[in-house]
Amino acid sequence: MSETILKVDHLKTYFDVTKGVFAKKQIVKAVDDVSFEVYKNETFGLVGESGCGKSTLGRTIVKLYEPTDGSIEFEGKDISKIKGKELKAYRKDMQMIFQDPYASLNPRMTVGEIIKEPMKIFNIYDTDEEREARVRELLDIVSLKPDHIRRYPAEFSGGQRQRIGIARALAVNPKFIVCDEPISALDASIQAQVINLLKHIQKEMGISYIFIAHDLGMVKHISDRIGVMYLGHIVECGPSDVVYHTPLHPYTQALLSAIPIPDPDVAKAKQRIVLEGEIPSPINTPAGCPFASRCPRATERCRKETPKPVQLGERSVACFLYEK
Ligand SMILES: Nc1ncnc2c1ncn2[C@@H]1O[C@H](COP(=O)(O)OP(=O)(O)OP(=O)(O)O)[C@@H](O)[C@H]1O
Ligand SMILES: [Mg+2]
C-alpha cells in the first residue's frame, strides 16, 4: 500500500452569494462533501465539466479558500484551520500552478525576480548570490536559457510562461503541487512538452500532484488515479485505467462517450450517450444525487437521497446502481 500524503475528508467549500440583506439566502455549494486521498509521488487527476468545482477544491487544498466544513490532512496533520507560522510552513510544501500563464505572472517583474520572490518569502537562502544560482538551476530544469533571467514575462510565449510558473513553484522545494489546468491555455504541440516536463520533475524530485483538467482523455494520460467531479461531488474515483476502460458511474460513462475515438470500428461499437439538459445551477442545489436531473438511469430515489460512495475494489462510485 502506498503512503498517503494528502487526505481530504468530507470537505465542503460554500460561497454565500446572497444579494441584499432581505433577499433569500443563496449558497453556492462549489465543493460539497468531497473525500479522497493522494499518495506520495503520485498524480491524482481531477476531471469534470466547467463549473463543477475543480478549481475551488484545488484552492481550498492550498488554503487560498477557507473550507466551510471537513478536514484536509497533509502528512497526517489537519491543516484546515492552521494559521501563522504553521500556515507559512504549509505554503512552502504545497504549491500551485495556475491555468492562465498570462495573468499569473507579474508583468513588472523580471523572470529572475519572479522565481526569487518565493525564496525570499520563505527565507530559503541567505544571500542573493545563492538565490541567483538556484534561479539558474531552475531555469535549466524547465529548459529556459540563463539569459532569460533579466527578461520580462511579456517577452515569452504561453508555453515558456508556464515554464516560468513551474520554476516559481519549484523554487521552494515543495512536496506537493496542485496543477490547475496548467496546459489548457497552450497550443496542442506545446501541451505535450509541458506534460513531459511535469512528469520528469515528479520523477526527479518525488513531488505529488493534483492535476486538474476537463478532458478525461488527457487526465488519464498523466494520472495514476482519477476523481470525476460533478456539481461539487466526486462521483467516481479510482485507478486511471480502471475508470477509463470500465467507467461505472453514468456521468463518467457520458463523459467518456463524448471523447472521439480514432478507430471507426471501435467508435461504431461504442454507444454514444448524449447528456440531456444543462448542468444544474450550484446555487441552493436540491437534495438527492447531483446527477439525477441529467441521468438516463435516475429513479425516484435518486431525486430524494444522495448516494454514498460504494467501494468496489480499488475504485469508489457514488451511485445506487452499485449498492451492495
Ligand atoms: N469566489 C467565488 N464566489 C462565488 N462563487 C464562486 C467563487 N468561486 C467559484 N464560484 C462558483 O463555484 C462553482 C465552481 O467553480 P470552479 O471555478 O471551482 O469550477 P471549475 O470546475 O474549476 O470550472 P472551470 O473548468 O471553468 O475552471 C461555480 O458555480 C462558480 O461560479
Ligand atoms: Mg477551474
Side-chain angles (χ1 to χ4, degrees), residues 27-43:
I27 305 291
V28 176
K29 296 183 174 179
V31 174
D32 198 10
D33 200 359
V34 161
S35 303
F36 65 97
E37 286 177 49
V38 181
Y39 305 130
K40 257 193 180 149
N41 290 341
E42 86 161 341
T43 301

mmCIF file with all atom_site columns, all heavy atoms in Angstrom, residues 27-43:
data_model
loop_
_atom_site.group_PDB
_atom_site.id
_atom_site.type_symbol
_atom_site.label_atom_id
_atom_site.label_alt_id
_atom_site.label_comp_id
_atom_site.label_asym_id
_atom_site.label_entity_id
_atom_site.label_seq_id
_atom_site.pdbx_PDB_ins_code
_atom_site.Cartn_x
_atom_site.Cartn_y
_atom_site.Cartn_z
_atom_site.occupancy
_atom_site.B_iso_or_equiv
_atom_site.pdbx_formal_charge
_atom_site.auth_seq_id
_atom_site.auth_comp_id
_atom_site.auth_asym_id
_atom_site.auth_atom_id
_atom_site.pdbx_PDB_model_num
ATOM 1   N N   . ILE A 1 27 ? -26.679 30.108 -1.577  1.00 0.00 ? 27 ILE A N   1
ATOM 2   C CA  . ILE A 1 27 ? -25.400 29.477 -1.256  1.00 0.00 ? 27 ILE A CA  1
ATOM 3   C C   . ILE A 1 27 ? -24.924 28.651 -2.455  1.00 0.00 ? 27 ILE A C   1
ATOM 4   O O   . ILE A 1 27 ? -25.654 27.783 -2.930  1.00 0.00 ? 27 ILE A O   1
ATOM 5   C CB  . ILE A 1 27 ? -25.541 28.544 -0.022  1.00 0.00 ? 27 ILE A CB  1
ATOM 6   C CG1 . ILE A 1 27 ? -26.126 29.279 1.186   1.00 0.00 ? 27 ILE A CG1 1
ATOM 7   C CG2 . ILE A 1 27 ? -24.205 27.882 0.327   1.00 0.00 ? 27 ILE A CG2 1
ATOM 8   C CD1 . ILE A 1 27 ? -25.218 30.314 1.807   1.00 0.00 ? 27 ILE A CD1 1
ATOM 9   N N   . VAL A 1 28 ? -23.698 28.939 -2.925  1.00 0.00 ? 28 VAL A N   1
ATOM 10  C CA  . VAL A 1 28 ? -23.096 28.099 -3.968  1.00 0.00 ? 28 VAL A CA  1
ATOM 11  C C   . VAL A 1 28 ? -22.323 26.990 -3.262  1.00 0.00 ? 28 VAL A C   1
ATOM 12  O O   . VAL A 1 28 ? -21.353 27.267 -2.548  1.00 0.00 ? 28 VAL A O   1
ATOM 13  C CB  . VAL A 1 28 ? -22.121 28.896 -4.860  1.00 0.00 ? 28 VAL A CB  1
ATOM 14  C CG1 . VAL A 1 28 ? -21.443 27.974 -5.865  1.00 0.00 ? 28 VAL A CG1 1
ATOM 15  C CG2 . VAL A 1 28 ? -22.832 30.016 -5.580  1.00 0.00 ? 28 VAL A CG2 1
ATOM 16  N N   . LYS A 1 29 ? -22.766 25.742 -3.488  1.00 0.00 ? 29 LYS A N   1
ATOM 17  C CA  . LYS A 1 29 ? -22.046 24.613 -2.880  1.00 0.00 ? 29 LYS A CA  1
ATOM 18  C C   . LYS A 1 29 ? -21.001 24.137 -3.889  1.00 0.00 ? 29 LYS A C   1
ATOM 19  O O   . LYS A 1 29 ? -21.197 23.151 -4.588  1.00 0.00 ? 29 LYS A O   1
ATOM 20  C CB  . LYS A 1 29 ? -23.042 23.515 -2.525  1.00 0.00 ? 29 LYS A CB  1
ATOM 21  C CG  . LYS A 1 29 ? -24.045 23.973 -1.463  1.00 0.00 ? 29 LYS A CG  1
ATOM 22  C CD  . LYS A 1 29 ? -24.972 22.838 -1.066  1.00 0.00 ? 29 LYS A CD  1
ATOM 23  C CE  . LYS A 1 29 ? -25.861 23.272 0.081   1.00 0.00 ? 29 LYS A CE  1
ATOM 24  N NZ  . LYS A 1 29 ? -26.796 22.215 0.491   1.00 0.00 ? 29 LYS A NZ  1
ATOM 25  N N   . ALA A 1 30 ? -19.896 24.881 -3.979  1.00 0.00 ? 30 ALA A N   1
ATOM 26  C CA  . ALA A 1 30 ? -18.895 24.615 -5.025  1.00 0.00 ? 30 ALA A CA  1
ATOM 27  C C   . ALA A 1 30 ? -18.187 23.283 -4.778  1.00 0.00 ? 30 ALA A C   1
ATOM 28  O O   . ALA A 1 30 ? -17.899 22.539 -5.713  1.00 0.00 ? 30 ALA A O   1
ATOM 29  C CB  . ALA A 1 30 ? -17.884 25.750 -5.085  1.00 0.00 ? 30 ALA A CB  1
ATOM 30  N N   . VAL A 1 31 ? -17.894 22.987 -3.507  1.00 0.00 ? 31 VAL A N   1
ATOM 31  C CA  . VAL A 1 31 ? -17.350 21.678 -3.124  1.00 0.00 ? 31 VAL A CA  1
ATOM 32  C C   . VAL A 1 31 ? -18.256 21.162 -2.028  1.00 0.00 ? 31 VAL A C   1
ATOM 33  O O   . VAL A 1 31 ? -18.455 21.829 -1.016  1.00 0.00 ? 31 VAL A O   1
ATOM 34  C CB  . VAL A 1 31 ? -15.891 21.798 -2.616  1.00 0.00 ? 31 VAL A CB  1
ATOM 35  C CG1 . VAL A 1 31 ? -15.387 20.463 -2.094  1.00 0.00 ? 31 VAL A CG1 1
ATOM 36  C CG2 . VAL A 1 31 ? -14.975 22.309 -3.721  1.00 0.00 ? 31 VAL A CG2 1
ATOM 37  N N   . ASP A 1 32 ? -18.843 19.990 -2.258  1.00 0.00 ? 32 ASP A N   1
ATOM 38  C CA  . ASP A 1 32 ? -19.894 19.547 -1.352  1.00 0.00 ? 32 ASP A CA  1
ATOM 39  C C   . ASP A 1 32 ? -19.672 18.106 -0.904  1.00 0.00 ? 32 ASP A C   1
ATOM 40  O O   . ASP A 1 32 ? -20.055 17.175 -1.602  1.00 0.00 ? 32 ASP A O   1
ATOM 41  C CB  . ASP A 1 32 ? -21.253 19.699 -2.050  1.00 0.00 ? 32 ASP A CB  1
ATOM 42  C CG  . ASP A 1 32 ? -22.396 19.686 -1.061  1.00 0.00 ? 32 ASP A CG  1
ATOM 43  O OD1 . ASP A 1 32 ? -22.142 19.756 0.147   1.00 0.00 ? 32 ASP A OD1 1
ATOM 44  O OD2 . ASP A 1 32 ? -23.557 19.601 -1.510  1.00 0.00 ? 32 ASP A OD2 1
ATOM 45  N N   . ASP A 1 33 ? -19.015 17.955 0.219   1.00 0.00 ? 33 ASP A N   1
ATOM 46  C CA  . ASP A 1 33 ? -18.779 16.645 0.814   1.00 0.00 ? 33 ASP A CA  1
ATOM 47  C C   . ASP A 1 33 ? -17.863 15.775 -0.054  1.00 0.00 ? 33 ASP A C   1
ATOM 48  O O   . ASP A 1 33 ? -18.275 14.730 -0.562  1.00 0.00 ? 33 ASP A O   1
ATOM 49  C CB  . ASP A 1 33 ? -20.124 15.932 1.068   1.00 0.00 ? 33 ASP A CB  1
ATOM 50  C CG  . ASP A 1 33 ? -19.967 14.823 2.100   1.00 0.00 ? 33 ASP A CG  1
ATOM 51  O OD1 . ASP A 1 33 ? -18.835 14.602 2.578   1.00 0.00 ? 33 ASP A OD1 1
ATOM 52  O OD2 . ASP A 1 33 ? -20.978 14.165 2.421   1.00 0.00 ? 33 ASP A OD2 1
ATOM 53  N N   . VAL A 1 34 ? -16.650 16.235 -0.218  1.00 0.00 ? 34 VAL A N   1
ATOM 54  C CA  . VAL A 1 34 ? -15.675 15.522 -1.049  1.00 0.00 ? 34 VAL A CA  1
ATOM 55  C C   . VAL A 1 34 ? -14.633 14.828 -0.165  1.00 0.00 ? 34 VAL A C   1
ATOM 56  O O   . VAL A 1 34 ? -14.100 15.433 0.758   1.00 0.00 ? 34 VAL A O   1
ATOM 57  C CB  . VAL A 1 34 ? -14.976 16.516 -2.016  1.00 0.00 ? 34 VAL A CB  1
ATOM 58  C CG1 . VAL A 1 34 ? -13.676 15.944 -2.541  1.00 0.00 ? 34 VAL A CG1 1
ATOM 59  C CG2 . VAL A 1 34 ? -15.905 16.877 -3.169  1.00 0.00 ? 34 VAL A CG2 1
ATOM 60  N N   . SER A 1 35 ? -14.375 13.562 -0.451  1.00 0.00 ? 35 SER A N   1
ATOM 61  C CA  . SER A 1 35 ? -13.346 12.797 0.271   1.00 0.00 ? 35 SER A CA  1
ATOM 62  C C   . SER A 1 35 ? -12.472 12.046 -0.733  1.00 0.00 ? 35 SER A C   1
ATOM 63  O O   . SER A 1 35 ? -13.006 11.415 -1.644  1.00 0.00 ? 35 SER A O   1
ATOM 64  C CB  . SER A 1 35 ? -13.981 11.763 1.211   1.00 0.00 ? 35 SER A CB  1
ATOM 65  O OG  . SER A 1 35 ? -14.853 12.373 2.122   1.00 0.00 ? 35 SER A OG  1
ATOM 66  N N   . PHE A 1 36 ? -11.171 12.138 -0.578  1.00 0.00 ? 36 PHE A N   1
ATOM 67  C CA  . PHE A 1 36 ? -10.251 11.321 -1.378  1.00 0.00 ? 36 PHE A CA  1
ATOM 68  C C   . PHE A 1 36 ? -8.844  11.420 -0.773  1.00 0.00 ? 36 PHE A C   1
ATOM 69  O O   . PHE A 1 36 ? -8.600  12.250 0.103   1.00 0.00 ? 36 PHE A O   1
ATOM 70  C CB  . PHE A 1 36 ? -10.213 11.751 -2.858  1.00 0.00 ? 36 PHE A CB  1
ATOM 71  C CG  . PHE A 1 36 ? -9.663  13.135 -3.082  1.00 0.00 ? 36 PHE A CG  1
ATOM 72  C CD1 . PHE A 1 36 ? -8.319  13.337 -3.435  1.00 0.00 ? 36 PHE A CD1 1
ATOM 73  C CD2 . PHE A 1 36 ? -10.466 14.250 -2.943  1.00 0.00 ? 36 PHE A CD2 1
ATOM 74  C CE1 . PHE A 1 36 ? -7.805  14.606 -3.639  1.00 0.00 ? 36 PHE A CE1 1
ATOM 75  C CE2 . PHE A 1 36 ? -9.965  15.535 -3.144  1.00 0.00 ? 36 PHE A CE2 1
ATOM 76  C CZ  . PHE A 1 36 ? -8.639  15.705 -3.495  1.00 0.00 ? 36 PHE A CZ  1
ATOM 77  N N   . GLU A 1 37 ? -7.967  10.536 -1.230  1.00 0.00 ? 37 GLU A N   1
ATOM 78  C CA  . GLU A 1 37 ? -6.582  10.565 -0.754  1.00 0.00 ? 37 GLU A CA  1
ATOM 79  C C   . GLU A 1 37 ? -5.634  10.682 -1.943  1.00 0.00 ? 37 GLU A C   1
ATOM 80  O O   . GLU A 1 37 ? -5.960  10.236 -3.035  1.00 0.00 ? 37 GLU A O   1
ATOM 81  C CB  . GLU A 1 37 ? -6.241  9.255  -0.034  1.00 0.00 ? 37 GLU A CB  1
ATOM 82  C CG  . GLU A 1 37 ? -6.864  9.140  1.333   1.00 0.00 ? 37 GLU A CG  1
ATOM 83  C CD  . GLU A 1 37 ? -6.566  7.794  1.976   1.00 0.00 ? 37 GLU A CD  1
ATOM 84  O OE1 . GLU A 1 37 ? -5.384  7.393  1.985   1.00 0.00 ? 37 GLU A OE1 1
ATOM 85  O OE2 . GLU A 1 37 ? -7.512  7.155  2.455   1.00 0.00 ? 37 GLU A OE2 1
ATOM 86  N N   . VAL A 1 38 ? -4.474  11.277 -1.702  1.00 0.00 ? 38 VAL A N   1
ATOM 87  C CA  . VAL A 1 38 ? -3.420  11.282 -2.713  1.00 0.00 ? 38 VAL A CA  1
ATOM 88  C C   . VAL A 1 38 ? -2.196  10.637 -2.070  1.00 0.00 ? 38 VAL A C   1
ATOM 89  O O   . VAL A 1 38 ? -1.857  10.951 -0.930  1.00 0.00 ? 38 VAL A O   1
ATOM 90  C CB  . VAL A 1 38 ? -3.078  12.708 -3.194  1.00 0.00 ? 38 VAL A CB  1
ATOM 91  C CG1 . VAL A 1 38 ? -1.989  12.671 -4.259  1.00 0.00 ? 38 VAL A CG1 1
ATOM 92  C CG2 . VAL A 1 38 ? -4.320  13.418 -3.736  1.00 0.00 ? 38 VAL A CG2 1
ATOM 93  N N   . TYR A 1 39 ? -1.571  9.714  -2.802  1.00 0.00 ? 39 TYR A N   1
ATOM 94  C CA  . TYR A 1 39 ? -0.393  9.029  -2.279  1.00 0.00 ? 39 TYR A CA  1
ATOM 95  C C   . TYR A 1 39 ? 0.876   9.775  -2.661  1.00 0.00 ? 39 TYR A C   1
ATOM 96  O O   . TYR A 1 39 ? 0.897   10.550 -3.617  1.00 0.00 ? 39 TYR A O   1
ATOM 97  C CB  . TYR A 1 39 ? -0.331  7.588  -2.807  1.00 0.00 ? 39 TYR A CB  1
ATOM 98  C CG  . TYR A 1 39 ? -1.575  6.790  -2.532  1.00 0.00 ? 39 TYR A CG  1
ATOM 99  C CD1 . TYR A 1 39 ? -2.217  6.078  -3.542  1.00 0.00 ? 39 TYR A CD1 1
ATOM 100 C CD2 . TYR A 1 39 ? -2.140  6.769  -1.249  1.00 0.00 ? 39 TYR A CD2 1
ATOM 101 C CE1 . TYR A 1 39 ? -3.377  5.348  -3.284  1.00 0.00 ? 39 TYR A CE1 1
ATOM 102 C CE2 . TYR A 1 39 ? -3.295  6.052  -0.990  1.00 0.00 ? 39 TYR A CE2 1
ATOM 103 C CZ  . TYR A 1 39 ? -3.908  5.345  -2.003  1.00 0.00 ? 39 TYR A CZ  1
ATOM 104 O OH  . TYR A 1 39 ? -5.050  4.646  -1.754  1.00 0.00 ? 39 TYR A OH  1
ATOM 105 N N   . LYS A 1 40 ? 1.941   9.463  -1.910  1.00 0.00 ? 40 LYS A N   1
ATOM 106 C CA  . LYS A 1 40 ? 3.244   10.074 -2.193  1.00 0.00 ? 40 LYS A CA  1
ATOM 107 C C   . LYS A 1 40 ? 3.695   9.760  -3.616  1.00 0.00 ? 40 LYS A C   1
ATOM 108 O O   . LYS A 1 40 ? 3.537   8.621  -4.067  1.00 0.00 ? 40 LYS A O   1
ATOM 109 C CB  . LYS A 1 40 ? 4.277   9.523  -1.203  1.00 0.00 ? 40 LYS A CB  1
ATOM 110 C CG  . LYS A 1 40 ? 4.579   10.527 -0.130  1.00 0.00 ? 40 LYS A CG  1
ATOM 111 C CD  . LYS A 1 40 ? 5.795   10.155 0.667   1.00 0.00 ? 40 LYS A CD  1
ATOM 112 C CE  . LYS A 1 40 ? 5.976   11.253 1.692   1.00 0.00 ? 40 LYS A CE  1
ATOM 113 N NZ  . LYS A 1 40 ? 6.562   10.787 2.915   1.00 0.00 ? 40 LYS A NZ  1
ATOM 114 N N   . ASN A 1 41 ? 4.237   10.746 -4.302  1.00 0.00 ? 41 ASN A N   1
ATOM 115 C CA  . ASN A 1 41 ? 4.793   10.591 -5.661  1.00 0.00 ? 41 ASN A CA  1
ATOM 116 C C   . ASN A 1 41 ? 3.783   10.299 -6.743  1.00 0.00 ? 41 ASN A C   1
ATOM 117 O O   . ASN A 1 41 ? 4.148   9.951  -7.850  1.00 0.00 ? 41 ASN A O   1
ATOM 118 C CB  . ASN A 1 41 ? 5.818   9.448  -5.734  1.00 0.00 ? 41 ASN A CB  1
ATOM 119 C CG  . ASN A 1 41 ? 7.057   9.797  -4.997  1.00 0.00 ? 41 ASN A CG  1
ATOM 120 O OD1 . ASN A 1 41 ? 7.313   10.962 -4.736  1.00 0.00 ? 41 ASN A OD1 1
ATOM 121 N ND2 . ASN A 1 41 ? 7.830   8.791  -4.655  1.00 0.00 ? 41 ASN A ND2 1
ATOM 122 N N   . GLU A 1 42 ? 2.492   10.354 -6.429  1.00 0.00 ? 42 GLU A N   1
ATOM 123 C CA  . GLU A 1 42 ? 1.541   10.032 -7.480  1.00 0.00 ? 42 GLU A CA  1
ATOM 124 C C   . GLU A 1 42 ? 0.897   11.299 -8.044  1.00 0.00 ? 42 GLU A C   1
ATOM 125 O O   . GLU A 1 42 ? 1.016   12.392 -7.494  1.00 0.00 ? 42 GLU A O   1
ATOM 126 C CB  . GLU A 1 42 ? 0.459   9.056  -6.988  1.00 0.00 ? 42 GLU A CB  1
ATOM 127 C CG  . GLU A 1 42 ? -0.713  9.722  -6.323  1.00 0.00 ? 42 GLU A CG  1
ATOM 128 C CD  . GLU A 1 42 ? -1.962  8.842  -6.257  1.00 0.00 ? 42 GLU A CD  1
ATOM 129 O OE1 . GLU A 1 42 ? -2.088  7.851  -7.004  1.00 0.00 ? 42 GLU A OE1 1
ATOM 130 O OE2 . GLU A 1 42 ? -2.835  9.178  -5.442  1.00 0.00 ? 42 GLU A OE2 1
ATOM 131 N N   . THR A 1 43 ? 0.223   11.122 -9.189  1.00 0.00 ? 43 THR A N   1
ATOM 132 C CA  . THR A 1 43 ? -0.570  12.200 -9.777  1.00 0.00 ? 43 THR A CA  1
ATOM 133 C C   . THR A 1 43 ? -2.037  11.807 -9.674  1.00 0.00 ? 43 THR A C   1
ATOM 134 O O   . THR A 1 43 ? -2.438  10.757 -10.167 1.00 0.00 ? 43 THR A O   1
ATOM 135 C CB  . THR A 1 43 ? -0.197  12.403 -11.260 1.00 0.00 ? 43 THR A CB  1
ATOM 136 O OG1 . THR A 1 43 ? 1.189   12.718 -11.327 1.00 0.00 ? 43 THR A OG1 1
ATOM 137 C CG2 . THR A 1 43 ? -1.001  13.538 -11.870 1.00 0.00 ? 43 THR A CG2 1
#
